[in-house]
Amino acid sequence: MTNPILEVSHLKKYFDIKGGIFGKSVGEVKAVDDLSFSVNEGEILGIVGESGCGKSTAGKSILRLIEPTDGSVKFEGTDLTDLTSEEMRQLRKNMQIIFQDPYASLNPRHKVERIISEPLLIHGMKSSKERKERVKELLEIVGLEAYHASRYPHQFSGGQRQRIGIARALANNPKLIICDEPVSALDVSVQSQILNLMEELREKFKLTYVFIAHDLSVVKHISDRVGVMYLGRMVELTDKHTLFNDPKHPYTRALMSAVPIADPDIERERIILEGDVPSPSNPPTGCAFHTRCPYAMDICKEVRPEFENVDDKHLVACHLYN
Amino acid sequence: MPEPILSVQDLHTHFLTDNKEVPAVDGVSIELHKGEVVGIVGESGCGKSVTSLSIMQLVPNPPGKIVKGEIKFKGKNLTYATEKQMRKIRGNEISMIFQEPMTSLDPLFTIGNQLIEAIRIHQKVSKKDAKNYSIELLNLVGIPRASEVVDEFPHQLSGGMRQRVMIAMAMSCDPEVLIADEPTTALDVTIQAQILDLMRNLNKEKQTSILLITHDLGVVAEMCDRVVVMYSGKVVEEGSVREILKDPKHPYTKGLIRSLPNIRTTEQKLYSIPGTVMRPSLDQVGCRFAPRCEHSFDSCWEENPKLLKQESGRQVRCFLYDEEKSERGVTSNDKSYT
């Protein structure tokens, strides 16, 4: 068994809702509420969930791009929440992030050269000749050409821009990359190019990914283990084969049955959930899913289910299994 | 075969950008019959949305212009219709749902206001009746507490609810054709399943014909009877859902289907089509897909392939199925294309 490179325990991120003339806090949005999981070295952990479930907030809180409210994040044994911002900055060399929107995450006024070399400069590569070499190397690694370095982001297509984002993330040889919906803004044919590239890079550089996405089929394809989030909490976490063949949590089942499959001959049971995801500023008591759950019992309204092992390494938060 | 309710013949819609003419839609023909659901599939920039806007005569002019082609709705040619005539058709006989439910509702008016406006433009009813009808419609599309929601503003609703309101509005005049342009792209999967279910019921109960524009082949498999695949402004393949998804002919369709990660099976590596979509241009000769196609040969670069038709209505635009051109004998078991 390999060691966990990242351990997240009881992570919470509450955003204050400001109101009134003095901007007093009148409530909280519980974006991430008691999230725990660990990622092993060299593994791809997928996190799926619908919009507003807190998956992106979780990704950013792990890197302390937004400060978590409570809980701890351990990277290779060091608790990140205790570090000063300077120590954190040093450590970010090892932890990088790729964002969803390749149009918004690159500065339109900088050339690719500068975009990719900035992290190099920040982390101490002073010689400009070395940086140029490294940029060239990185561009080739992600499947672009060296001459692309002198171009601006708007001269690239969406897929190419995402490649630039990946090159930038790779610049300082990180160990862990958090991928926040890296392919959801791309077309299908380009999406598969990027997914393949990310897999190649993982093998080549022994990377670990936390892969956040809303598309179940993409997550299934790339991940080793998958966690499902609902309203700021993890409801199910296991390896992908178990999750997709034997989903336990009613929400996971509904989510899977809702994914349209490009095959007209497949007949399957369809679970259509009623209503919308409740607001995270006023989450339901007990189990957050009980308002939409077809199997809700009395206990679900009152007691929040623990996130526990049901089978071997199959964690579920549901009263049905306890 | 009865007359199609909506037929698009050889449509060319061009845009004038930087003094260059871009043929966004380049000779597209589509037929939609009563009670049928036809899907238009393609990646961004393939011209699927411009096709639907052209049908509704909503292409902004300038820069856009329908330069050639015929759009017939129940025998009337819409390309010659005046703005006044079009207004009677839009929303009344042909309705449209857009991708982004956030931007297609006016944030300054209540849901009721917007529904009542749409109803009163096309039907002679009092405000009170229109409001009652709006509540009925909202109930029909599955909005809880419809009588309160009519007095709420769009920002008070979630994305799925807004899209339901859009569908309610589109259905308010019992249109015969519904054009849905990526109706579920901005929504979550569980909400998407609800909206697709709703559209399927409308189609079954009211025999509304639906032209569904999407990039998601999964949605196509669940909703459509027939599929039109577009690439770079042209139709590259057409056929029934089963034919297209199970037995794709055009290399682009094949590649598109193979590059989808499948939730059912596990493959080690995803197939990917090399390169990116070319921007359509007027002075381009040859197949638009040739630069990305692994089967391309000389003819593909020199001539424009024609849309080859089979009797069953199956169509494909590729030289591989053209007996005169193809030297590779792919056509040997596929002789019925003419």
Side-chain angles (χ1 to χ4, degrees):
Chain A
M1 195 63 210
T2 43
N3 296 326
I5 186 168
L6 181 76
E7 275 176 284
V8 177
S9 49
H10 307 290
L11 185 73
K12 288 180 187 155
K13 176 65 203 175
Y14 297 170
F15 292 101
D16 287 340
I17 304 171
K18 298 269 162 63
I21 39 171
F22 299 114
K24 270 198 304 189
S25 171
V26 292
E28 285 170 328
V29 175
K30 296 179 173 172
V32 176
D33 196 7
D34 207 358
L35 184 70
S36 304
F37 62 88
S38 65
V39 189
N40 295 327
E41 207 170 336
E43 171 183 63
I44 302 183
L45 177 80
I47 297 183
V48 274
E50 296 179 280
S51 42
C53 75
K55 54 193 191 303
S56 293
T57 308
K60 287 178 186 155
S61 309
I62 291 169
L63 290 184
R64 280 180 66 195
L65 292 174
I66 41 183
E67 288 295 329
T69 312
D70 197 13
S72 76
V73 180
K74 275 189 185 158
F75 178 74
E76 293 188 314
T78 341
D79 193 336
L80 301 183
T81 44
D82 294 340
L83 298 180
T84 63
S85 56
E86 173 56 27
E87 285 169 322
M88 191 61 216
R89 196 179 66 79
Q90 288 296 336
L91 209 76
R92 283 214 185 93
K93 221 171 163 177
N94 293 326
M95 318 168 70
Q96 286 292 324
I97 185 163
I98 302 170
F99 295 99
Q100 166 172 11
D101 191 346
Y103 299 86
S105 57
L106 303 175
N107 188 335
R109 304 181 71 161
H110 287 179
K111 285 182 181 162
V112 170
E113 168 100 49
R114 178 148 173 211
I115 290 171
I116 301 178
S117 63
E118 201 159 1
L120 294 170
L121 183 66
I122 287 171
H123 288 290
M125 196 184 270
K126 297 283 182 243
S127 134
S128 74
K129 201 176 149 212
E130 258 179 77
R131 284 203 304 270
K132 260 201 173 108
E133 276 302 305
R134 178 74 179 142
V135 168
K136 204 177 130 193
E137 190 186 321
L138 284 165
L139 284 173
E140 274 157 16
I141 287 170
V142 297
L144 295 169
E145 306 284 336
Y147 67 84
H148 284 133
S150 54
R151 294 196 178 172
Y152 288 98
H154 75 263
Q155 294 170 298
F156 294 92
S157 67
Q160 286 175 316
R161 265 181 258 199
Q162 199 57 288
R163 285 175 196 267
I164 296 169
I166 294 173
R168 176 175 60 182
L170 286 175
N172 283 307
N173 291 318
K175 293 179 182 154
L176 174 78
I177 300 183
I178 294 187
C179 316
D180 188 0
E181 304 256 16
V183 294
S184 40
L186 305 174
D187 275 318
V188 187
S189 70
V190 182
Q191 171 181 302
S192 57
Q193 292 172 4
I194 298 292
L195 287 175
N196 284 339
L197 172 72
M198 292 182 65
E199 272 180 301
E200 276 166 35
L201 294 175
R202 162 170 88 142
E203 304 226 326
K204 209 161 164 188
F205 300 106
K206 307 268 178 290
L207 296 169
T208 307
Y209 293 143
V210 174
F211 194 97
I212 299 167
H214 68 275
D215 188 331
L216 279 165
S217 42
V218 168
V219 166
K220 182 185 179 199
H221 176 79
I222 199 159
S223 312
D224 300 313
R225 282 191 307 146
V226 181
V228 183
M229 277 182 80
Y230 186 76
L231 269 188
R233 295 166 198 177
M234 194 77 96
V235 295
E236 190 160 359
L237 173 70
T238 184
D239 69 275
K240 69 171 168 191
H241 297 291
T242 322
L243 187 79
F244 283 83
N245 295 328
D246 180 26
K248 296 264 190 229
H249 199 282
Y251 176 65
T252 317
R253 288 193 202 160
L255 202 60
M256 301 223 176
S257 83
V259 178
I261 296 177
D263 184 340
D265 291 336
I266 284 184
E267 289 287 326
R268 58 198 171 130
E269 184 201 7
R270 177 181 293 283
I271 310 163
I272 293 184
L273 288 177
E274 302 276 316
D276 288 319
V277 183
S279 156
S281 61
N282 184 20
T285 54
C287 171
F289 186 57
H290 85 254
T291 51
R292 300 170 82 193
C293 181
Y295 309 104
M297 304 175 286
D298 288 340
I299 187 175
C300 303
K301 293 180 186 126
E302 287 147 23
V303 185
R304 184 163 155 182
E306 290 295 317
F307 194 44
E308 289 174 333
N309 251 324
V310 180
D311 284 332
D312 184 36
K313 290 186 190 124
H314 191 158
L315 291 141
V316 182
C318 182
H319 286 303
L320 286 174
Y321 301 99
N322 295 340
Chain B
M1 204 80 171
E3 271 285 288
I5 187 160
L6 179 74
S7 88
V8 176
Q9 288 300 328
D10 196 30
L11 179 73
H12 290 255
T13 306
H14 293 187
F15 283 85
L16 207 66
T17 54
D18 304 333
N19 297 324
K20 214 178 116 200
E21 224 173 322
V22 178
V25 174
D26 197 1
V28 167
S29 303
I30 293 165
E31 285 184 353
L32 182 64
H33 293 269
K34 177 120 188 108
E36 196 180 30
V37 184
V38 172
I40 304 184
V41 195
E43 295 179 285
S44 17
C46 74
K48 52 193 195 303
S49 288
V50 178
T51 306
S52 68
L53 290 175
S54 304
I55 294 170
M56 294 293 264
Q57 304 286 311
L58 284 174
V59 178
N61 181 11
K65 195 169 184 253
I66 298 177
V67 291
K68 201 174 140 195
E70 210 181 48
I71 297 159
K72 269 194 172 161
F73 173 67
K74 293 203 290 189
K76 275 176 286 186
N77 192 341
L78 298 187
T79 31
Y80 298 130
T82 60
E83 185 56 26
K84 209 173 160 194
Q85 288 167 324
M86 264 327 285
R87 274 197 200 173
K88 282 203 175 131
I89 293 171
R90 262 184 229 141
N92 196 15
E93 294 178 274
I94 309 178
S95 274
M96 192 157 177
I97 312 173
F98 296 95
Q99 171 173 0
E100 192 39 83
M102 188 73 160
T103 49
S104 31
L105 290 169
D106 193 322
L108 297 179
F109 291 90
T110 61
I111 301 298
N113 255 323
Q114 303 189 42
L115 273 166
I116 291 166
E117 186 190 6
I119 294 166
R120 299 223 329 151
I121 282 174
H122 296 296
Q123 292 166 30
K124 282 202 168 62
V125 286
S126 72
K127 269 192 183 157
K128 210 180 149 202
D129 288 345
K131 185 163 181 181
N132 288 334
Y133 183 43
S134 315
I135 297 174
E136 208 178 292
L137 281 167
L138 292 177
N139 270 320
L140 188 78
V141 294
I143 287 186
R145 7 170 242 115
S147 50
E148 292 165 45
V149 169
V150 267
D151 294 320
E152 285 179 6
F153 289 91
H155 73 264
Q156 291 170 289
L157 306 180
S158 67
M161 297 258 274
R162 282 189 212 122
Q163 199 59 293
R164 279 161 197 268
V165 171
M166 285 306 295
I167 294 179
M169 198 181 285
M171 296 319 294
S172 62
C173 298
D174 271 326
E176 291 179 63
V177 176
L178 179 68
I179 300 177
D181 187 354
E182 305 263 13
T184 57
T185 309
L187 305 175
D188 283 316
V189 272
T190 57
I191 309 296
Q192 165 171 290
Q194 293 170 359
I195 298 289
L196 293 181
D197 199 43
L198 179 66
M199 286 175 52
R200 213 176 291 128
N201 287 342
L202 283 173
N203 169 254
K204 280 212 187 93
E205 279 160 27
K206 300 202 167 168
Q207 286 289 302
T208 314
S209 316
I210 301 179
L211 191 63
L212 180 72
I213 293 154
T214 179
H215 68 278
D216 188 333
L217 289 166
V219 171
V220 164
E222 301 219 340
M223 295 289 299
C224 302
D225 304 315
R226 262 186 321 121
V227 189
V228 175
V229 184
M230 283 184 71
Y231 186 79
S232 191
K234 282 184 190 293
V235 173
V236 293
E237 188 163 0
E238 187 185 332
S240 74
V241 165
R242 184 159 281 104
E243 285 169 339
I244 297 282
L245 293 177
K246 288 281 181 182
D247 179 29
K249 296 280 185 226
H250 197 281
Y252 174 63
T253 322
K254 280 184 186 167
L256 204 59
I257 290 169
R258 276 176 69 196
S259 59
L260 275 181
N262 190 328
I263 198 165
R264 297 258 148 168
T265 56
T266 320
E267 291 134 41
Q268 278 307 303
K269 202 169 152 69
L270 277 179
Y271 174 79
S272 63
I273 308 175
T276 47
V277 183
M278 248 210 287
R279 286 187 69 185
S281 85
L282 274 179
D283 41 309
Q284 195 180 325
V285 184
C287 175
R288 299 261 162 98
F289 189 60
R292 301 176 76 186
C293 182
E294 53 191 33
H295 303 292
S296 62
F297 50 96
D298 295 349
S299 301
C300 301
W301 299 89
E302 291 153 8
E303 279 176 72
N304 293 328
K306 281 199 286 288
L307 201 55
L308 304 165
K309 283 183 189 139
Q310 225 172 20
E311 253 173 48
S312 63
R314 184 94 201 251
Q315 302 188 41
V316 62
R317 187 189 296 277
C318 182
F319 282 133
L320 286 176
Y321 302 96
D322 190 334
E323 280 179 67
E324 287 170 32
K325 297 282 188 253
S326 175
E327 304 130 18
R328 306 184 166 218
V330 186
T331 51
S332 56
N333 48 10
D334 252 309
K335 288 211 164 133
S336 38
Y337 287 100
T338 49

